[in-house]
Amino acid sequence: MKLLSAAQLQEWDAYTIANTPIASIDLMEIAAKACTQWILKQPFLKQPIYIFCGKGNNGGDGLAIARLLHEAGFTPKVFIAEFGKPGTDNFQENLHRLHVLGIPIQYISSENLLPPIPDESIVIDALLGVGLNKPLSGLYALIAAHINTVNAIVIAIDVPTGMYIDQHTESTNIVKANYTLTIQCAKLCFLIPENAAFFGQVQILDIGLHPAYLSTIDTNLQLTELEDIQQCIHTRDTFSHKGQFGHALIIAGSEEKMGAAIMATGAALRSGTGLVTAQIPQSGATALNICYPEAMLLLRSNIIDNLNHYTAIGIGPGLGVNDASQQILFNLISHFKQPMVIDADALSILAENTEWLGLLPNESILTPHPKEFDRVFGKCANDFERLHKALALTQQYPLTIVLKGHHTLIAHQGKGFFNTTGNAGLAKGGSGDVLTGIITALLAQKYEPCIAARLGVYLHGTAADLALETEAEESLIATQVIAYLGKAWNYVKPSVAFIH
């Protein structure tokens, strides 16, 4: 699913109006009905209901919602930010419809007209929509701040007032919503960690905008959805053998952190590669043999003979940041010419030797969390800056960057793909080690690097989601994610596989 800019969202409305055809006011009515239907189904719905409206089309949505709630037997209180100018045509039409029904409306033109809002009320934020291009000021800032002072359930229509949809919001004066009812599709702002405190639970309400519009535009950001993944998965020939599915080498672990090597190896074994070798310190050999006898062992040394035996290498989990580990990484990137996965301690080593970026094998995959990203590539002021830097770096270098988070970003050749699976149970030690093993195994099977990253992240999140059948987010641990990879594969595989 393409992630659209504010201008493209407005163009989609216009395209639908022109090609369905449908009147703009009727399209607004459909949106308002979708919002109202969702509100009416909620167990928390009760009186009083306060609806705050601007004079744009977002405010028109709010007025239409007020009318529909009134028709459902509620008595919402409607407040309009008054600037002395008329609103949009659709706003004016919905205002007229409210007047006909005799629904009282109050205008807010100054701070002393802000209404007291009782605790446990319902507040609907329909002040501003997706077109915001500057921080809130004046009356809008006062109303937003007032909403944020009350102990109410706040429902934002489309986007919380004060939040930009596709760039960093300079101000923190943003309506803090418990729920956001966003129209038709997800917006970039809901995928960025810095905004999480403001939008609450996001509900996407399909209002039937014309799907053909999406084929007329190009975007550099997308959501990865199940159908995208299904089109990427290789089928397995009945007569295939292990030699056809690659040989993954996992370079990981230290005396203090053998668990990381064990988890990365186990994840690689369960992700489809034909052979897995783990290069580990001698002290960990017995533990790995007991956990995963299917893996071959290579005892730790600075030089790895016969690198051409391996179709992909993953390096970093639990490796340690020391002179010996630096030598291993340098020797590896100097001689191995296939794409590799660089994670954890290997990223920390790279941060100390950024001149090595140009030595990395083409199409290698880096898997940093935000702090690791900043250590390697320089401090970022906010999440949007980090996003755009990741996209730019993948144009500067022939790399794929997996920027880990709740909606992990896979950046490749200047394009970004946000993941849609996973849960907070993954916020545990070992989760990244598991992901390294998965992606390395997919690379070993000759998945294109961007596809290996997208599929690996999607499988990782799906396994964590499926594990919640028996676990809570609090109790989920990384080894259980490995255990659920089989179910994850069965979930994502299409009924008709694609032959590659």
Side-chain angles (χ1 to χ4, degrees), residues 89-277:
D89 290 344
N90 288 344
F91 171 87
Q92 294 291 354
E93 174 60 28
N94 274 302
L95 183 62
H96 171 72
R97 293 176 181 180
L98 281 189
H99 284 314
V100 169
L101 292 174
I103 297 174
I105 298 168
Q106 299 180 49
Y107 291 86
I108 302 173
S109 57
S110 63
E111 184 174 7
N112 61 356
L113 294 176
L114 292 169
I117 303 174
D119 288 349
E120 301 182 358
S121 302
I122 304 296
V123 173
I124 297 176
D125 164 27
L127 288 164
L128 293 170
V130 300
L132 183 71
N133 56 17
K134 60 182 179 180
L136 294 185
S137 61
L139 196 54
Y140 282 130
L142 287 172
I143 298 173
H146 180 61
I147 292 172
N148 287 340
T149 63
V150 300
N151 183 23
I153 294 175
V154 179
I155 303 170
I157 305 302
D158 215 7
V159 177
T161 292
M163 182 181 292
Y164 301 152
I165 74 159
D166 50 14
Q167 60 180 301
H168 172 66
T169 304
E170 296 92 335
S171 171
T172 57
N173 189 13
I174 303 168
V175 169
K176 293 181 180 179
N178 301 98
Y179 302 90
T180 297
L181 309 184
T182 199
I183 306 302
Q184 191 62 40
C185 60
K187 278 76 175 177
L188 176 59
C189 56
F190 303 139
L191 307 175
I192 303 299
E194 68 185 53
N195 290 330
F198 300 102
F199 53 71
Q201 296 182 31
V202 177
Q203 304 291 324
I204 300 174
L205 303 180
D206 189 340
I207 64 168
L209 295 184
H210 203 303
Y213 171 74
L214 295 176
S215 65
T216 70
I217 59 168
D218 189 26
T219 64
N220 69 336
L221 294 172
Q222 295 185 37
L223 282 176
T224 296
E225 299 178 304
L226 178 59
E227 53 266 34
D228 302 316
I229 292 300
Q230 290 179 328
Q231 294 178 34
C232 301
I233 295 176
H234 299 178
T235 190
R236 292 191 168 221
D237 187 274
T238 305
F239 294 94
S240 58
H241 57 83
K242 64 185 178 183
Q244 295 174 252
F245 301 115
H247 189 169
L249 173 64
I250 302 294
I251 303 174
S254 58
E255 290 190 7
E256 300 84 5
K257 298 178 181 178
M258 263 309 297
I262 291 170
M263 287 184 284
T265 301
L269 285 166
R270 289 190 176 271
S271 298
T273 191
L275 295 167
V276 177
T277 293

Side-chain angles (χ1 to χ4, degrees), residues 248-252 258-273 275-280 287-297 317 430-442 445 460 463 478-486 489:
L249 173 64
I250 302 294
I251 303 174
M258 263 309 297
I262 291 170
M263 287 184 284
T265 301
L269 285 166
R270 289 190 176 271
S271 298
T273 191
L275 295 167
V276 177
T277 293
Q279 196 220 45
I280 58 172
L288 194 140
N289 270 324
I290 291 171
C291 292
Y292 292 109
E294 300 89 347
M296 295 178 284
L297 297 186
S431 292
D433 307 324
V434 172
L435 180 61
T436 294
I438 297 170
I439 297 176
T440 305
L442 294 171
Q445 294 166 74
H460 184 250
T479 51
Q480 291 170 313
V481 176
I482 299 173
Y484 273 85
L485 279 172
W489 273 106

